[in-house]
Amino acid sequence: MSATRRHFVAGGLAATAALSLPRIARGAAPRVVVVGGGFGGATAAKYVKKFLPDAEVTLIERDKQFITCPFSNYVIGGIEKMQTITHGYDKIAKRGVKVVHDEAVAVDPNAKTVTLKGGATLAYDRLVLSPGIDFIWDAVPGYSEAAAEVMPHAWKAGPQTLLLRKQLEAMPDGGTVIIVAPANPFRCPPGPYERAGMIAWYLKNNKPKSKILIFDPKENFSKQALFFEAYENLYPGMIQWIGGKQGGKVTRVDPKAMTVEAEFGEEKGDVINFIPPQRAGKIAQIAGVTDEKGWCPIDPKTMESTKVKGIHVVGDACIAGAMPKSGTAANSQARNAAAAIAAMLQGKEPPEPSFANTCYSIVAPGYGFSVTAMYGATPEGIKEIAGGVSKLKAPAKDRDLEAAYAYDWYRGIIYDALG
Amino acid sequence: MKGITIPVALAVTLMAGSAMAAPTAEAIARNCVVCHGPKEAGQLEIPKIANYPARKMVEMLTGFRAGQKEATIMDRIAKSLTDEQIQALAAHFASQ
């Protein structure tokens, strides 16, 4: 039996037996602290409370409202409003989750405490980190947090989403929009290409002489053939993708001159959407659960960190094998983590997880397609069991149905995480 | 039944090949209800599956899995399920 396999089977149980069980055996309610109120964290908090109603579950989230990245491209394209993608935590609070609007600034895995910016220290039996992503601001010369006010990333939904939208509204007809896509791995693999479609929808109807250039260090990307088919069907000649082989890797940006320098040459943009390279959210680094590349290795059966016992990591921050960094993936990982945590806190064997992902992309109203898969845990990581993408050349009614399903998926995940 | 023999074998092989243990129907079902949510979720187009007749669900899922039933997305998802899981999911949703 390999070390990985041994850990896979016994890691969680050992930690439970050594640390959690005695306290709970004394009759105290188990304490679960969840950091980050996105799809992963909200779902984890809700489901731990559901599986273990006696547990004291605290969700730490900086913001009063959750503005979702899914569907934020539709705000950028002008077919949805910010209100559609903005949600509160009142419903999960009513379910018994204690929602604390503060920021986790320190984790002590030995004392099992989380310290908040506001000064409070919370003790936990099990900690869930769902911190999402942080940007590596200085990865490309010329870009910075300040530059994001000129060349918005709009990769965390909120003011940045509106900034990009406003820039598109202010752009003259005949202008050039440049989208700079990051290298793998990054949040929402189909996102930059869905965004290109949504921007094209706005431009086609308002500024039809304009064009969109996508600069990309990659040689292929999620649902590529479906996106190319859609661009050709809906926006012929408007969107140009410059991939890795064509020299699409960006080497420098200049926010003053509004230029992007790539391996193939330099282009000037009227609107530049620069999506920076990413790593796990800062608290994961502070807690010591990240690897040398900045992401969090986990035990696929429990989502428990392989670096620090007692801490589970879900969502974009974790290394989830074949699963992409998506809202659905985070939601699915969080449910399984919650089931594992509930079992471990009761001194039971964690149940076998079942993971799913579905990512819809809408590139025009009534034109949607998807990638989906089911996954399972193996000692080597999370592996895909089966799945795939929508068919190419599908009839218009299928694209229309999948666009409607995207909206239903959104309603469903909001309910599952926050309802 | 001939039509479903191959996908079942394939699913079993895939799972065995990657040393993947079988999750319970409850664990799998939690993924289903994200899209096929309860009425509180407010979904409009995706069919509800709570209290769905078990026999009909088995028929639907095996049909999707074999590619014999028209689908946009469920054909891709159903390929992950074994015969036993389909039976267990059908029983799970029928009793809700």
Side-chain angles (χ1 to χ4, degrees):
Chain A
M1 193 185 260
S2 70
T4 322
R5 176 71 188 161
R6 269 199 306 277
H7 167 256
F8 184 76
V9 174
L13 276 180
T16 304
L19 300 165
S20 304
L21 198 58
R23 187 180 170 276
I24 297 152
R26 292 197 302 271
R31 299 156 305 183
V32 177
V33 174
V34 181
V35 176
F39 286 114
T43 305
K46 178 179 165 177
Y47 274 85
V48 169
K49 192 70 191 168
K50 190 173 175 173
F51 294 144
L52 212 56
D54 292 339
E56 209 176 273
V57 181
T58 308
L59 175 64
I60 312 296
E61 166 54 45
R62 187 173 35 211
D63 300 324
K64 292 267 163 67
Q65 289 178 311
F66 174 30
I67 305 175
T68 67
C69 282
F71 276 41
S72 66
N73 279 338
Y74 313 156
V75 176
I76 292 164
I79 65 167
E80 283 301 338
K81 301 282 179 206
M82 286 300 277
Q83 196 187 341
T84 311
I85 61 167
T86 305
H87 308 272
Y89 294 94
D90 50 320
K91 288 177 185 155
I92 56 167
K94 277 186 192 147
R95 287 183 184 271
V97 173
K98 189 178 174 194
V99 182
V100 175
H101 292 293
D102 205 329
E103 192 178 332
V105 290
V107 174
D108 183 338
N110 298 317
K112 294 191 142 191
T113 57
V114 178
T115 304
L116 307 183
K117 200 175 184 178
T121 297
L122 304 176
Y124 65 82
D125 295 301
R126 291 263 152 202
L127 175 65
V128 180
L129 295 181
S130 185
I133 52 142
D134 265 5
F135 298 120
I136 305 171
W137 293 110
D138 58 358
V140 171
Y143 202 71
S144 63
E145 198 164 357
E149 296 305 312
V150 181
M151 298 177 165
H153 54 77
W155 217 242
K156 290 187 183 184
Q160 280 274 312
T161 310
L162 287 174
L163 177 61
L164 181 55
R165 171 70 192 167
K166 279 178 191 150
Q167 289 186 350
L168 290 167
E169 284 170 346
M171 188 185 90
D173 190 9
T176 300
V177 178
I178 298 175
I179 298 173
V180 180
N184 291 325
F186 66 101
R187 161 179 286 178
C188 191
Y193 317 99
E194 178 192 59
R195 177 170 289 178
M198 267 292 122
I199 293 175
W201 167 256
Y202 169 71
L203 296 177
K204 182 185 173 183
N205 290 298
N206 297 279
K207 290 152 191 178
K209 290 179 210 149
S210 311
K211 62 174 180 175
I212 300 168
L213 303 175
I214 308 171
F215 287 20
D216 206 330
K218 302 185 288 299
E219 285 172 17
N220 48 60
F221 58 84
S222 175
K223 294 183 261 189
Q224 185 168 0
L226 285 157
F227 279 111
F228 284 167
E229 183 186 66
Y231 297 165
E232 192 55 38
N233 287 344
L234 301 165
Y235 315 113
M238 186 177 260
I239 303 172
Q240 192 190 344
W241 178 73
I242 304 127
K245 271 188 188 157
Q246 295 85 45
K249 186 181 175 188
V250 170
T251 50
R252 175 180 295 275
V253 296
D254 186 339
K256 279 198 184 121
M258 284 296 277
T259 53
V260 175
E261 193 183 294
E263 283 172 348
F264 81 95
E266 191 181 86
E267 285 282 344
K268 192 170 163 53
D270 295 279
V271 174
I272 299 171
N273 168 213
F274 182 94
I275 305 164
Q278 300 152 28
R279 61 184 165 214
K282 196 176 171 189
I283 193 66
Q285 295 159 44
I286 291 170
V289 293
T290 51
D291 68 4
E292 68 288 351
K293 287 180 178 163
W295 303 103
C296 309
I298 45 97
D299 177 336
K301 192 170 177 186
T302 61
M303 306 303 293
E304 185 172 14
S305 166
T306 55
K307 300 190 77 106
V308 183
K309 293 280 117 194
I311 302 179
H312 301 252
V313 188
V314 297
D316 294 347
C318 78
I319 301 169
M323 295 186 86
K325 297 189 185 302
S326 77
T328 320
N331 167 253
S332 179
Q333 290 156 11
R335 279 193 307 273
N336 287 294
I341 288 167
M344 291 159 100
L345 288 172
Q346 295 175 95
K348 295 177 186 166
E349 173 72 10
E352 198 59 39
S354 168
F355 300 104
N357 178 58
T358 302
C359 292
Y360 286 100
S361 298
I362 298 179
V363 286
Y367 195 112
F369 45 78
S370 60
V371 59
T372 187
M374 298 289 291
Y375 307 84
T378 78
E380 291 80 38
I382 297 175
K383 297 253 170 87
E384 182 175 319
I385 303 167
V389 298
S390 305
K391 292 179 194 79
L392 283 168
K393 295 179 183 166
K397 71 169 177 58
D398 282 12
R399 298 282 185 251
D400 190 42
L401 208 51
E402 289 221 82
Y405 286 173
Y407 275 80
D408 270 354
W409 164 83
Y410 188 79
R411 293 178 182 106
I413 195 168
I414 291 298
Y415 180 80
D416 198 62
L418 294 163
Chain B
M1 289 299 282
K2 258 189 177 170
I4 61 164
T5 319
I6 293 164
V8 172
L10 184 66
V12 169
T13 309
L14 278 170
M15 297 185 82
S18 52
M20 216 179 269
T24 61
E26 284 72 20
I28 301 170
R30 282 182 211 121
N31 295 307
C32 308
V33 298
V34 175
C35 290
H36 298 272
K39 70 172 188 291
E40 293 82 2
Q43 288 150 337
L44 305 174
E45 296 288 339
I46 298 178
K48 299 271 177 287
I49 52 172
N51 297 312
Y52 205 86
R55 213 172 123 184
K56 202 172 162 198
M57 184 171 288
V58 171
E59 214 178 279
M60 297 281 276
L61 288 174
T62 48
F64 287 142
R65 190 178 60 182
Q68 289 164 345
K69 199 159 185 57
E70 201 187 333
T72 53
I73 186 165
M74 277 309 299
D75 51 342
R76 294 173 262 154
I77 295 170
K79 285 189 174 69
S80 72
L81 300 170
T82 63
D83 260 0
E84 292 71 22
Q85 287 170 336
I86 287 176
Q87 293 289 346
L89 282 171
H92 172 84
F93 285 112
S95 66
Q96 279 191 325

